[in-house]
Amino acid sequence: MTIIAASEKIKHNVQDGIFVIQLDDAKSLNSMTGHDYLYLGHLMEIADRDSAVYLTVLQSSGRFFSSGANVGNIGAMQSAQDENGELGKWLSEFVSRNLFVTHVFAKHTKPIVCCLNGPAVGLSAAIVMLCDVVYAMNNSVYLLFPFANLALVTEGALSVTLPMKLGYNVASEILTLARPVTFDQLNGKVVTRNYNLKDTQEFNSQVLQDLKRATGDLHKESIPGMKRLLQRSVLDQMKRANVDEVNDALSYWVRGLPQQRFREIKSKQRIHKM
Amino acid sequence: MTIIAASEKIKHNVQDGIFVIQLDDAKSLNSMTGHDYLYLGHLMEIADRDSAVYLTVLQSSGRFFSSGANVGNIGAMQSAQDENGELGKWLSEFVSRNLFVTHVFAKHTKPIVCCLNGPAVGLSAAIVMLCDVVYAMNNSVYLLFPFANLALVTEGALSVTLPMKLGYNVASEILTLARPVTFDQLNGKVVTRNYNLKDTQEFNSQVLQDLKRATGDLHKESIPGMKRLLQRSVLDQMKRANVDEVNDALSYWVRGLPQQRFREIKSKQRIHKM
Amino acid sequence: MTIIAASEKIKHNVQDGIFVIQLDDAKSLNSMTGHDYLYLGHLMEIADRDSAVYLTVLQSSGRFFSSGANVGNIGAMQSAQDENGELGKWLSEFVSRNLFVTHVFAKHTKPIVCCLNGPAVGLSAAIVMLCDVVYAMNNSVYLLFPFANLALVTEGALSVTLPMKLGYNVASEILTLARPVTFDQLNGKVVTRNYNLKDTQEFNSQVLQDLKRATGDLHKESIPGMKRLLQRSVLDQMKRANVDEVNDALSYWVRGLPQQRFREIKSKQRIHKM
Amino acid sequence: MTIIAASEKIKHNVQDGIFVIQLDDAKSLNSMTGHDYLYLGHLMEIADRDSAVYLTVLQSSGRFFSSGANVGNIGAMQSAQDENGELGKWLSEFVSRNLFVTHVFAKHTKPIVCCLNGPAVGLSAAIVMLCDVVYAMNNSVYLLFPFANLALVTEGALSVTLPMKLGYNVASEILTLARPVTFDQLNGKVVTRNYNLKDTQEFNSQVLQDLKRATGDLHKESIPGMKRLLQRSVLDQMKRANVDEVNDALSYWVRGLPQQRFREIKSKQRIHKM
Amino acid sequence: MTIIAASEKIKHNVQDGIFVIQLDDAKSLNSMTGHDYLYLGHLMEIADRDSAVYLTVLQSSGRFFSSGANVGNIGAMQSAQDENGELGKWLSEFVSRNLFVTHVFAKHTKPIVCCLNGPAVGLSAAIVMLCDVVYAMNNSVYLLFPFANLALVTEGALSVTLPMKLGYNVASEILTLARPVTFDQLNGKVVTRNYNLKDTQEFNSQVLQDLKRATGDLHKESIPGMKRLLQRSVLDQMKRANVDEVNDALSYWVRGLPQQRFREIKSKQRIHKM
Amino acid sequence: MTIIAASEKIKHNVQDGIFVIQLDDAKSLNSMTGHDYLYLGHLMEIADRDSAVYLTVLQSSGRFFSSGANVGNIGAMQSAQDENGELGKWLSEFVSRNLFVTHVFAKHTKPIVCCLNGPAVGLSAAIVMLCDVVYAMNNSVYLLFPFANLALVTEGALSVTLPMKLGYNVASEILTLARPVTFDQLNGKVVTRNYNLKDTQEFNSQVLQDLKRATGDLHKESIPGMKRLLQRSVLDQMKRANVDEVNDALSYWVRGLPQQRFREIKSKQRIHKM
């Protein structure tokens, strides 16, 4: 029985107690299908259950961290016939996947370190906001939450993580006006170090080397021990937000509103303003 | 665009501001497929949005209120090939549906009156526990939560509603030992009136007549107004429980454990002890 | 500077560390004007601040504990001209008073013992539900929450105390159908002892004597000490409910809906069904 | 039946789904009487109920955003005879009004954009802190919370919004020492953009133009949709704070302490240190 | 390195996935020293960590379940000299032990079944209230919470479990008047079955046999799985209550008040009224 | 009866309603034994109960604010024989003390002003994070939380205060990598003013003088009044964190892990990386 077919776009390995997951589809800017997000969540669960792992590191490749949901994939889902109607289709294609990947990240018991090599968009950007430590490759990184441009609402527990990490008013403006989150807004709040590098591969290996050196002498068990203490104050709100967000968004999908706007994005009739 | 294909087994009508939903498949003891549960949830949303509706009434037919998930349907889902593996299949078939129907009942803003004509099992019994007012046809009604017998855990926010409505210790014993909840345990806590009738149709129409008479002179707007005030203390916990329950259960489905036990139930190798 | 003019209808005294407040207007069935409720709240605050007081006892007189808001008084408020309009008037006459008396009862740090000699209605009945210990004179006592009959919603944090003390489904039916709460429903949940007496004066003095005897040997400081521990789990929900209830109700008052129904009650065109 | 008499000092209009409220009493520095605050709250409720409105914008005029409670008005209230005493008077004049305006802002379901043209003081400054997005006209704006100087405590749910938006220690020092909040402290936390303008009218129209351009292509329904998700994490705490704050402050009013200090402010015997 | 020296008065064994702990000091009525409570907590932790255990059963011996804290032991602690004063002594002797044993019971992840063979007093009775399922040997069992008689306040998270399981008003009266909780009050709420037996040994083995039979066919992993879901709604409140209770009680111990009253109990000058 | 023997290393006095506590053991860098922490907590309780006190000020002496737990003292505790084993010993020596001092700081009802003259380490640094206002002597101050280096987890409710005051991601990195918190990270968040001084005595008296001048005209009662309002949103989470932290850490102490690492620190085999 296969739990989930491996995605060729996502690699992983374990090094000295550090579980490394890498998005490895630079040519699509690491866009993700629904299946890719599930597979990412599945790897997170393997890392979580492995008692030898004390840190989980998320890396990417190429220019973008991840350009978000694969627009072609949404088109395919949309044209698929479902004799039972739109409700069941979007529960399967949207609600169940977003809920799962968000839940798996929110409840992860090891600190999650994100190597942010470039821009991240949509649900992928929400995942960056769910990470505990974020390092930036340089000051060109940004996050984009274009939900109001797509006839959607917040995903990935963003309605909790965004105000918690960037401040309530900053989060409100970003979401209301579908504004990008610049490096300057992230710095010192979400991003705790800027590596000032240009090559993603060099950045990824530098971060890993730094993490190994910094934690080499530490008592590894203390590290997830403190993560579990930190997350207890916020986990219930994240769970509540997750279920509210997917169910609120469902009514937009059932009416076909985001689908229409994804089509416009694909055909360049609509852009995300920067 | 069809939101959801109607289920022939579930009827509905509106009478003087009362939205009536009826399970109408007496010969299967009102067993429910995944699609039936979605359609039930869909009707609840229609009732919720209709500003002329001040009460939602849930009725059934025949001997059972509902025997729960259709065992044959689970078998069909199980044998269906999904090239992407078990995780995606059970996210679609289990997580997304349970989450949706539970969420829709938990956030419903009109009082939900349940006409409990007979036994209810599993998720259907959890739905009874999500209703605000429950009337019993007679003292033969009971609820059955056989999750431990099926290699599952609580569904339908039961981990909140069962201790809240029956008491923490009573709930613990029922779940731990997969014991039925008898009429005596329900009476005065979940059930507020026993009609002492034998015919479901007579029971259903008697309840409706009583509700119309009792609310005839009342200011209708006050009724959902008070429901919204009552639910504010408990709704966040129900949402949190819902997302915890579906995600905890997922690991059992992915390993094939409940599927095996449903097969044993179907072939009479396994029974629910009463 | 007078904090509040004394109401002749409400007496009080202190006996051996017990602060006794008595509603003493038997001929009006202890109906209460807005000013009476404020004065009652004011006495509660005096009891709370007095470090020699370890118990607060609420007594009444005659046949009713309290028939609730004085209907004539509401009529007078209604006809009063307020050049600034209805919003300011009902904020003063309804919101501020209900909020204050509910807050004062909810945060009181001594156990409140209620001697329930007869029926209580509306806000007065909500106050009974805010007491920590309730003794019944006999099995004729009942509570009446006719909010749906008056175009109102719950008051006095009832949306929290009623489900907490009587059970969620019982509370839902009582409010939805504006049903009285009978002695049998109160017994063992709200009422912990039935004195089986017929004379209110005898009942009041018997309860006081029993309380003095039962606590005579106890360490008095422990008694409010445990009240403060008990209330910590529920106080925040009561505060939240209080502000929600008064603000939700305000929109009914501003539209004149309860005023109309109070007029019908006064002229016997409308009755509370029992 | 008049809900509330219009205040001549507060204007409003609706433009393309944006509800604009303007404080228009530059010569009094937009000081507010109790009635003005109620009228402002009333306008907020109209904006909230209008389904065509997706944004609410708060503007002012002249040099100050608002100098807070009208000192002359407080003197008038104080000298008014109330035969029932101080408790009822200050429940009407203070508790009910502060509670209402705070509640209405806290539960507002559209993003509230504040055009902060100059200083704001007291309850008016608390209202600025309740807005979701704040734009500054220039770096001369500041907020003043002189509660300790006035023998008062926090108002307008500030005990929640101030630590949430400025940080716990910054909020503590501001309140403990009655210090102003400077532009530098607001910038990047409460204020997300400095327009660097000198004319209030130009500032107001520039903000409106920018909002229309930025949201022109967006799906309007998503905007309040995300506001509702954002506020769910904080609304209960704001409600709890609101009821605590008004009731804690009441004891100061009943003893005449802030009244005395407002008199000293009026007669220039007391100043707010900057 | 010894974690804790075994107490001869407490036995334990594991049978088919059931971890059985037995208080075995019938001649002292199973009174407990501070060390006994620690050892009991230590055994609970062993049961919790053992992944083969799905149920934890607490049994006793003789006439009493447990008469509570050993009075002689308290006398010994009291007379012990501690050069650093009373604060350090009672932090060690009272706070740290009560906190630990309460925490260990509250966070236990297997259902705890209590075989209540007779009366339980004080902290031991609080432990009974922390169990998930309680079976009574007969209708002579009772619980005694004589905190007000001992110049103490609630222990063992009772300020949460008592109102949650017996109802708020019942809990208030029991604590305020130091009244015993009778079998009739426990039945149907805390106690879910009365075995109607007279011999403790027979009772203990009958319960074990029933548990094995009832769970024989069940999927064992589901049982702690559902316990974890049930406890999520209440665990944070129990933790908060635990820390409040031990710190509130500390001030009584430091002043020597309970010590004096334990001496009076020992010398029969003081009794617990029944 | 002595509550607690005075520590010679900690002085205190009261000046014009300001309660000043001073760590006065410059030559040990103000390292603290378990008894010192208790005595500090005891002084905080005296300040809290004194109704004439409206501010509590924490000062130190010499180069360090406090170098944290006295390493020699831990060695002494470790070698002490406890016939009852490690559990009881570390409950007394670690759990009860950390719990007490954290609880006393968290619930303190006057604003706590910390004069941070130099570095603070471990539990002492956690105490700095529990203060409401922190002034820095100069930009050489820092905090060190070397828990992962010591085989420990967060103490002093840091799992709540650190993310609340420094941001979630900053807190995560600090704890995960045992990194110091620099002045730049503290400034504007924890520290609200940098005095740019070099002499601790001058710094201490300058702060006191500034506090007296700034509060001279204020209504003193308002100051603790606002502290109580501010702390209501966070106190329950701090209590929950406190009990979780001490109990989670206990398992490390019982296994001897931090003891071993404190020995290595003492013998210079292990250092805290800066």
Side-chain angles (χ1 to χ4, degrees), chain D residues 7 24 29 31 37 71 78 90 95 113 127 161 163-164 168 187 194 198-199 202 204-205 211 213 241 245 256 265:
Chain D
S7 164
D24 189 33
L29 303 178
S31 74
Y37 281 122
V71 177
Q78 198 178 345
W90 298 107
V95 165
V113 179
I127 285 173
T161 60
M164 178 173 90
Y168 190 90
N187 197 26
N194 176 5
K198 293 198 168 167
D199 181 72
E202 183 189 352
N204 285 342
S205 60
L211 288 172
R213 193 180 302 138
E245 289 177 349
I265 293 282

Side-chain angles (χ1 to χ4, degrees), chain B residues 66-99:
Chain B
S66 166
S67 58
N70 183 309
V71 178
N73 184 243
I74 291 166
M77 289 192 281
Q78 196 179 347
S79 56
Q81 290 299 329
D82 185 329
E83 64 195 85
N84 289 322
E86 297 294 307
L87 180 61
K89 180 158 80 179
W90 298 106
L91 276 170
S92 292
E93 300 292 347
F94 170 77
V95 165
S96 74
R97 288 171 180 172
N98 267 37
L99 185 90

Side-chain angles (χ1 to χ4, degrees), chain A residues 148-149 151-152 154 159-160 168-170 172-173 175-177 189 240 244 248 252 255 257 261 270 273, chain D residues 111 131-135 165 188-190 192 213 215 217-219 221-223 226 229-230 232-233:
Chain A
N149 197 28
L152 282 169
T154 53
S159 60
V160 166
Y168 191 90
N169 285 22
V170 172
S172 290
E173 193 194 33
L175 295 170
T176 301
L177 306 184
K189 292 174 175 169
R240 198 268 316 141
D244 273 339
D248 284 8
Y252 297 79
R255 286 179 285 157
L257 300 171
R261 292 183 164 243
R270 173 176 295 274
K273 285 207 191 112
Chain D
C131 294
D132 300 290
V133 176
V134 179
Y135 293 128
K165 296 191 175 181
K189 290 174 176 169
V190 170
T192 52
R213 193 180 302 138
T215 60
D217 256 8
L218 303 181
H219 184 65
E221 178 191 10
S222 292
I223 292 172
M226 292 191 292
L229 283 163
L230 283 170
R232 273 181 211 165
S233 314

